[in-house]
Amino acid sequence: MEKLTFLEYIALAEAEYKRLLDRYPELKMLSKREMDVFARLLTDKTQAQIAKELYISHSSVHFHCKNIYKKLQVNSRMQLLIRYKDF
């Protein structure tokens, strides 16, 4: 596989982000940090692990989760996982 240059990598990431927003337009409501947390919520990581990975407190992760759930109109991580299982 050919190695990507930095600019090619950025262009690829931007294209992927646009594709995701086209498929899930409600994600536009999330802040950058909420998107960071959202992506990790779709994994099997705990909130404590997410906090450590993002260098933020556990209470900050909890705060972002509450905002994410409200903005995406879900009540739990399970509902989030079901709705975005193909993310």
Side-chain angles (χ1 to χ4, degrees):
M1 184 173 173
E2 182 181 323
K3 239 182 169 179
L4 296 176
T5 67
F6 177 74
L7 293 177
E8 290 169 332
Y9 179 79
I10 296 298
L12 184 63
E14 288 174 346
E16 178 64 10
Y17 182 68
K18 183 183 177 326
R19 184 190 68 77
L20 288 172
L21 291 181
D22 287 345
R23 184 168 180 189
Y24 303 108
E26 66 275 16
L27 296 179
K28 292 176 186 174
M29 295 184 290
L30 301 182
S31 70
K32 165 76 171 90
R33 184 54 94 184
E34 288 168 347
M35 278 298 290
D36 293 340
V37 173
F38 169 80
R40 286 160 178 84
L41 286 173
L42 300 178
T43 69
D44 61 351
K45 292 181 173 131
T46 66
Q47 286 189 12
Q49 290 170 321
I50 293 170
K52 186 175 183 179
E53 190 170 302
L54 294 176
Y55 301 101
I56 59 177
S57 69
H58 183 268
S59 62
S60 292
V61 172
H62 182 74
F63 175 80
H64 290 308
C65 287
K66 284 178 25 180
N67 288 337
I68 291 165
Y69 296 167
K70 183 177 178 183
K71 289 178 180 181
L72 300 181
Q73 299 179 346
V74 297
N75 296 314
S76 67
R77 188 172 185 175
M78 184 58 71
Q79 286 182 345
L80 187 83
L81 289 168
I82 291 168
R83 184 175 292 171
Y84 298 99
K85 66 182 179 215
D86 297 327
F87 185 78

